[in-house]
Amino acid sequence: MSSSSAVSTVTPVIKTLKVGLAGCGTVGQSVLTMLHRQKALFHSLDYAVSLEGVYVRDALRPRDFDYPGAVLTDDPHFLEGTDILIEVMGGVDRPLELWMPHLERGGIVITANKALMAERWDAIRKYVENGQVYFEASVMAGTPIITPLATILRASTPIRLEATLNGTCNYILSQMERGQDYHTALAEAQRLGYAESDPTLDVGGGDSAHKLTLLARMFIDPEYALEKVQVRGIDTLPPGAVNEALERGEKIRLLCSIERENGEWVARVEPRALPLSHPIAQADSSHNALMFTGEECGTVIFMGNGAGGATTASAVVGDLISHMDGIPGPKQVSLVR
Ligand code: NAP
Ligand code: HSE
């Protein structure tokens, strides 16, 4: 072979994705860390990420971090020129005001915001169906469950789903099993960044209900309404309940379930005493666990981190990588089961 016929090397065309970050608290700061750390990985997929700005409530508040190129602002106009909105600010109506114009002009949203997903389904559903919304981080943080439900598990006929979906409650109950009191454990969960900005959403079961609603839409019914979830939080537990359960060889967990009762699917969030050997009782501290039972696949168990900045950012950036790979955002089930 002559030297002139040697294989020529092709330089890949690097595409630049313009990303806007909304929220720079526990999750947002970890997203910034990962965007910085994974630059080489993005490049290997022929992408570069250009961070166009970071939208926060108070841009003048001194922060104890400094990310090169991350400009904090309380003016969201820069988002209009972005391809991807990463929304990790929380709340419902304010983030929706950012999502809607972005989605209407064909943009991509990546989010950890299960409250908005659960409460404003009518507004966003068609964009989810269009694959424009990625939300792996919204349930079980960095432990994958949305993607498996949207893909491989769709084939199996659903029988039952049981889970702990709130890291704060799991942390509080685990700490109480070690002798800590409820209020100290809750304060510690807040300090560690696990709790919602309004922690009554955690201990009252509302956050679990948001997540269970998203799962129900992927498991049994694309229209499943938040209002149908029966909710009781760990704030209703009588004093001494955690220790009394331990003495019986049980652990109390905030159990989320979807199962058929008298021919109807029922979704519930409630504190339940589980035998120590129960797989869901094995999830300690801020971990979550989920058991999916399908007629054909049997019982499949997912367990891992359920709250915290780094684990949640891992799912957010994982979604960004899925988008770079040409994988559309996950879809809910397409028929009522
Ligand atoms: P966080 O620490 O309270 O941070 C919220 C961020 O959003 C802050 O930077 C805040 O700005 C900004 N923000 C809030 N409201 C705003 C508004 N109206 N306008 C502009 N900026 C606003 O919250 P987080 O724990 O990171 O949680 C963020 C989202 O991720 C929530 O949807 C939460 O449910 C979800 N999530 C959290 C976790 C977790 O473990 N923390 C896990 C999974 C999912 P300032 O900095 O100026 O206050
Ligand atoms: N507050 C939530 C929890 C954050 O404790 O599970 C993760 O969604």
Side-chain angles (χ1 to χ4, degrees):
M1 185 187 288
S2 74
S3 59
S4 61
S5 64
V7 177
S8 63
T9 52
V10 179
T11 311
V13 179
I14 298 290
K15 295 171 278 278
T16 299
L17 280 177
K18 292 184 178 177
V19 171
L21 181 64
C24 197
T26 302
V27 179
Q29 286 178 44
S30 294
V31 169
L32 286 178
T33 304
M34 284 198 77
L35 289 180
H36 194 65
R37 191 178 289 168
Q38 298 299 1
K39 274 182 184 160
L41 176 60
F42 302 151
H43 238 247
S44 73
L45 296 166
D46 301 339
Y47 278 97
V49 168
S50 164
L51 183 65
E52 301 293 295
V54 181
Y55 175 56
V56 291
R57 196 167 15 207
D58 180 0
L60 298 177
R61 182 161 62 80
R63 315 263 165 171
D64 57 4
F65 63 86
D66 181 22
Y67 292 94
V71 179
L72 269 60
T73 173
D74 52 18
D75 179 353
H77 280 100
F78 75 93
L79 292 170
E80 288 163 14
T82 58
D83 305 306
I84 299 189
L85 165 63
I86 298 183
E87 188 267 296
V88 287
M89 56 192 261
V92 174
D93 291 325
R94 183 63 191 125
L96 189 66
E97 287 169 7
L98 305 181
W99 283 43
M100 290 313 291
H102 189 79
L103 291 169
E104 281 161 7
R105 62 184 165 75
I108 298 295
V109 170
I110 299 176
T111 193
N113 189 340
K114 57 275 172 172
L116 187 160
M117 292 283 305
E119 295 188 21
R120 294 292 181 269
W121 190 229
D122 287 350
I124 62 169
R125 180 175 171 178
K126 74 173 179 187
Y127 302 104
V128 176
E129 284 171 354
N130 208 24
Q132 287 172 254
V133 182
Y134 295 72
F135 52 101
E136 182 60 70
S138 63
V139 183
M140 294 179 76
T143 306
I145 186 59
I146 296 294
T147 306
L149 281 174
T151 54
I152 202 78
L153 293 174
R154 285 172 88 179
S156 205
T157 314
I159 293 179
R160 187 183 308 109
L161 185 150
E162 289 177 290
T164 47
L165 298 176
N166 186 269
T168 300
C169 291
N170 228 59
Y171 180 83
I172 292 172
L173 294 168
S174 301
Q175 290 298 99
M176 289 175 76
E177 284 156 6
R178 297 182 179 99
Q180 201 168 53
D181 69 84
Y182 174 89
H183 293 289
T184 307
L186 171 56
E188 189 72 353
Q190 290 178 286
R191 188 187 66 75
L192 292 165
Y194 301 151
E196 297 300 302
S197 54
D198 171 8
T200 57
L201 272 172
D202 296 288
V203 296
D207 175 74
S208 292
H210 286 145
K211 292 165 176 167
L212 195 59
T213 301
L214 302 196
L215 298 183
R217 289 177 190 151
M218 310 196 78
F219 187 60
I220 44 151
D221 181 357
E223 308 279 359
Y224 205 88
L226 173 64
E227 294 70 30
K228 286 171 79 174
V229 183
Q230 301 174 20
V231 189
R232 191 159 67 82
I234 65 165
D235 53 359
T236 62
L237 280 171
V242 169
N243 283 337
E244 285 161 22
L246 272 186
E247 283 161 16
R248 292 194 305 272
E250 295 176 328
K251 281 185 178 183
I252 295 184
R253 289 291 177 263
L254 186 62
L255 194 75
C256 305
S257 57
I258 304 174
E259 56 196 332
R260 265 193 197 285
E261 287 177 10
N262 304 320
E264 292 281 317
W265 286 106
V266 178
R268 237 186 231 111
V269 176
E270 63 181 354
R272 283 260 293 275
L274 304 173
L276 296 183
S277 58
H278 193 290
I280 288 181
Q282 310 298 310
D284 211 29
S285 190
S286 61
H287 283 194
N288 286 176
L290 184 145
M291 293 171 71
F292 173 104
T293 305
E295 201 172 308
E296 296 83 0
C297 69
T299 295
V300 185
I301 300 176
F302 299 81
M303 191 181 297
N305 285 320
T311 179
T312 309
S314 151
V316 168
V317 176
D319 273 344
L320 179 63
I321 291 166
S322 294
H323 176 68
M324 289 173 179
D325 259 343
I327 300 168
K331 297 188 174 64
Q332 72 287 359
V333 284
S334 43
L335 76 168
V336 181
R337 307 305 292 257

